[in-house]
Amino acid sequence: MPMKTILRSLFGGLLASAFFVVAHAANLAPGAFSAGTVKGNVTYKLAGTTEFIPLASGTALPQGATIKTGSSSLVAIVFSNGAVATITEDSEVEITKFEQEVFSGPLPVGAEPSISNTEINIVNGAVTSKVAKLKTGSSYVVKSPVGAAGVRGTTFRVEYNSTTRAYAVLTLEGEVVATGNANGQDYTVRANQGTDGTT
């Protein structure tokens, strides 16, 4: 099966569940993010704590929150810059940082309203991100213990298995600059491409 078909099949269902929550971003204050779609068993804990509690749709989340999904579960995290990060089943992910400059007016279509910086850390599992075109000075990075992927605006997925230390970046549109290959150098994953590796 062609890579393009595989990737669209992989992303299709996840993004369909996330697209309709993007409007939710218009109701968030600059620099805020919250749970949009929640399906199945999803919990979270605050930075500096150990207890995971149920996560409900609409719950505002602070920087440093860690989200955990169970089997056949997912959650779409909606950011005030219009980005959506869908955390898939059997994952544990920390929203390490989300900062955004103040802006006024409606959320523009296909672009962020002001400069922002997002950092997501995958402890285990996978995150599929839909990111609007970022402004100069903005960043959106998904990290794992063995690699990281940064974008300027695209749809992509990062996977990390904490047991095998397998790491993969898959891109549906746009392009992703990733690190974590055998020699530690940056490399580009373009639209309809995927790459993986272990350490």
Side-chain angles (χ1 to χ4, degrees):
M1 184 181 295
M3 177 61 74
K4 183 175 182 179
T5 302
I6 293 173
L7 291 173
R8 289 195 178 279
S9 175
L10 175 65
F11 288 131
L14 295 174
L15 293 177
S17 68
F19 281 157
F20 78 93
V21 300
V22 175
H24 177 64
N27 298 318
L28 294 173
F33 59 99
S34 66
T37 301
V38 176
K39 293 184 179 179
N41 179 24
V42 182
T43 57
Y44 75 106
K45 70 180 180 72
L46 303 179
T49 67
T50 58
E51 180 184 4
F52 281 87
I53 59 177
L55 179 60
S57 178
T59 300
L61 295 165
Q63 291 189 65
T66 298
I67 299 144
K68 185 182 288 187
T69 58
S71 177
S72 302
S73 303
L74 65 79
V75 57
I77 304 300
V78 183
F79 298 88
S80 58
N81 65 351
V84 178
T86 301
I87 302 170
T88 55
E89 67 175 347
D90 297 322
S91 297
E92 184 174 342
V93 174
E94 178 187 0
I95 311 298
T96 311
K97 178 172 69 175
F98 178 61
E99 300 171 343
Q100 183 182 21
E101 293 183 356
V102 175
F103 66 91
S104 60
L107 193 69
V109 176
E112 67 171 351
S114 63
I115 293 173
S116 67
N117 292 283
T118 308
E119 185 176 294
I120 297 172
N121 180 49
I122 302 179
V123 179
N124 182 67
V127 176
T128 300
S129 299
K130 173 71 174 179
V131 182
K133 185 176 180 180
L134 299 180
K135 291 182 175 293
T136 300
S138 292
S139 64
Y140 186 102
V141 180
V142 179
K143 296 184 174 182
S144 79
V146 298
V151 299
R152 298 295 307 159
T154 186
T155 302
F156 73 112
R157 176 182 172 95
V158 179
E159 304 172 352
Y160 172 67
N161 185 308
S162 60
T163 301
T164 64
R165 293 179 65 81
Y167 167 71
V169 179
L170 309 170
T171 305
L172 180 60
E173 57 188 29
E175 62 180 41
V176 174
V177 176
T179 60
N181 62 356
N183 58 17
Q185 295 181 342
D186 292 354
Y187 58 98
T188 300
V189 185
R190 294 182 172 81
N192 303 311
Q193 291 183 348
T195 184
D196 61 82
T198 58
T199 60

